[in-house]
Amino acid sequence: MTSRAAAWTLPGITERRLTTLAWISALALLALGALLSVRNESAFRHEMGRQTNAQADILAASVTAALAFDDRLAMRQYVDALKANPGISAAAVYDGQGNQLVSLRLGDAPAPPAHAAPVSTFWRMGRVLATRPAAEQGQVLGYVYLETRQDSLSDVVNRHTGVGLLTIMGLLLLILVSLAAAQLQARAGQLTIANDRLTEEMEARAQAEEALRQSQKMEALGQLTGGIAHDFNNLLQVIQGALELIRRRSSDVARVETWAQNGLQAADRGAALTRQLLAFSRTQKLDLRPFVVAELVAGMRELLIRTLGPNIELTLALDTDRVPVLSDRTQLELAILNLAINARDAMPEGGRLVIRTQPTVIETDPVLEAGEYVALSVTDSGEGMPAEVIARAFDPFFTTKSMGKGTGLGLSQVYGVARQAGGEARIASTPGEGTTVTVLLRRSEQAAEAEAEASGPDPILAPAAGATVMVVDDDTQVRALLIETLNLLGYEVLEADGGATALEVLATRRPDAMLLDFAMPQMNGAQVADRARKLWPDLPIVFASGHADTAAIKAAVGDGARILRKPFDMNELARTLNGILGRTPADAG
Amino acid sequence: MTRRGSGWIGGALLALATLAATPTRAETGALEQAVKATYLYKLAPFVAWPPGAFNATDDPLVICVQGADAFAGLVDRAAAGQRVGPHPVLVRRLARLERTSGCHVAYVAGSQAQSTAQALAAVSGSPVLTVTDAERGPARGIVHLVLNSGKVRFSVNIGQAEAGGLAVSSKLLALALEVSR
């Protein structure tokens, strides 16, 4: 196959060059044909001239005596004998002075000249005209004239048939080659167009996939909203209750401590919940990194419980082998969430959901390459699925849910994630006994990355006396809370309600650190930080942000930015400021 | 009446014809003599003499006129400056034709000194192309000139020619009125 293809390709010669070569060959053929024609014709004329001369000489020799003795009758006989020769159209005999004595004219031939022409042989209008002397023993007795029949068209055609055919075939070849070249060029053009279109389509498809992933996330979020809202109400209820109790019984110091603790715990849980939601809603491109699936699932426990609701019991059976897989963390979280939502919908009366992770070695498989995988399986005790539904379960937009309950993108997203990580998703289900969806993810060669945002273990509330912190926030309440907290931690505080005020203050004073809200009107945190650094290049700046996307902040202010994610508690604030000001908790203590 | 009339008309016509014909015949005769004079050298290219007839390649071809001085003048004029092959043409008048006269062509008219027959006999068997004229008598040489339909024609006797070692071209024979042996 390959060798045959190679045989048809001349190395280093492009199609265009081949065409040119073919043209040159064909033109050379034509030129050769023309040359041959000319040579043929010239040879033919030469031969005809020679033959005519020979004939004329024979006539001349025959009539010498008749000329000598002026025997017209004899001359006439000799000349008339030429009638038998089909090649001759006219003849004449002249005396020594060139006067015509006898002439012969056949058919439509022109009459021979009345007076003898000089001795010569030449072509005129396809005839050979020959005038020869009639001499005996060197004595010129007269002249004879012979004229051949005109070359008919068919004679000419016959004479040049070979060369003509050659020429016609050369021309045909030329036309064929030109056509073929044009066709090739057109095809190349079409290929280019097709290629461009394919590229465009691929880009469009990539965009569509991006949009699909986003919409899958949004759908999952929509599914979550109901449950989450309920949870939030519960958490707020706890916080509100705690605060209410603290307000009414503020004198009961021992119990106030407990109530405040309860309220803070509830706020923590709410914060964890919103952090996860925000992480989902982030618009980001696929970010393939090695991580451990069991750890990811463990981190989702809270969210999963909220998603499943109180009627479903969640069991996590996670391995401790720390086998890394290469995937997108958010996408896999979303896949697990999708599976949980499906399981919840399959168990309206409640039931059990088991999420299991298990390293697996696959040796022979029709789809997967042999190797090490991590099997992530989600098993419910729900209705199960019939075979025909299983067959189409991974198709996009296929859903058995009623209108408004789902788009049918959930399982296709799960399948997509699995394929992306070099694995596959499989469904095992028995109607009435539940469903197990297994996502096989290929083991990564790279070691798992530790999750960036690990919170410190011990609460620290260390006062740091003497340092000045500038607080910039447009929200009066948040600003007041921060100032109070910082005061409690032992810092002196400079406050500003926006970038302009902050820069005014900075013009005269350098604080030890600046706590800067990112999202502010007129001038955002990044812009303020930029101007502040111009005044005090080494000024430590901490951004406080409720914004989900730390990447956006990092893009705006550089990698070195320190970011406090709202809501943060007092310990986090203290730890961060201590870190910036170069004090360890021990120093401060 | 009619007889007399026709006799008169016939006599008148005869007279007219005679009047008209007399000068014409004289002219024709002169023309014929001139043509015959040219024939003497024109015959030569069609005849091949045996080796030895010419001593050198550029020896003259000698045309002898025996016994007709007036005609010899015509021959002289006709042959002046003519050549036959490499040979210039020379005209000689003779009273008697002999084997030793050195003639190649001999017009034999006969004279008081030597009759036509005697002259022919004198060169018989030698390479001399003898030419006789029917106008001047019945004796025949190799070529015998005859007036035919108002034109000068000739007969050829190959036997005599061959006896003298002469070869006569077939082209000439083709024009002859009669070819004999």
Side-chain angles (χ1 to χ4, degrees), chain A residues 60-75 77-78 135-139 141, chain B residues 38-39 41-47 82-87 151-154 169 171-172 174-175:
Chain A
S62 308
V63 296
T64 45
L67 278 167
F69 303 105
D70 193 27
D71 191 335
R72 305 274 173 109
L73 197 66
M75 286 179 213
Q77 280 169 356
Y78 284 121
E136 196 70 44
Q137 302 263 332
Q139 193 170 5
L141 299 166
Chain B
T38 63
Y39 274 27
Y41 74 85
K42 280 184 177 176
L43 282 168
F46 301 97
V47 175
Q82 294 291 344
R83 293 179 83 88
V84 174
H87 311 290
K151 290 201 168 233
V152 181
R153 289 283 162 255
F154 51 85
S169 166
K171 295 179 192 172
L172 195 67
L175 297 182

Side-chain angles (χ1 to χ4, degrees), chain A residues 248-268:
Chain A
R248 291 196 183 173
R249 301 275 183 83
S250 53
S251 55
D252 188 345
V253 176
R255 301 198 52 192
V256 162
E257 179 69 25
T258 311
W259 290 328
Q261 202 62 47
N262 286 347
L264 285 172
Q265 270 177 11
D268 272 350

Side-chain angles (χ1 to χ4, degrees), chain B residues 25-48:
Chain B
R25 188 183 288 168
E27 269 176 41
T28 310
L31 189 66
E32 283 158 4
Q33 292 305 307
V35 169
K36 284 175 189 170
T38 63
Y39 274 27
L40 291 185
Y41 74 85
K42 280 184 177 176
L43 282 168
F46 301 97
V47 175

Side-chain angles (χ1 to χ4, degrees), chain A residues 17 77 536:
Chain A
R17 260 195 214 160
Q77 280 169 356
W536 309 106

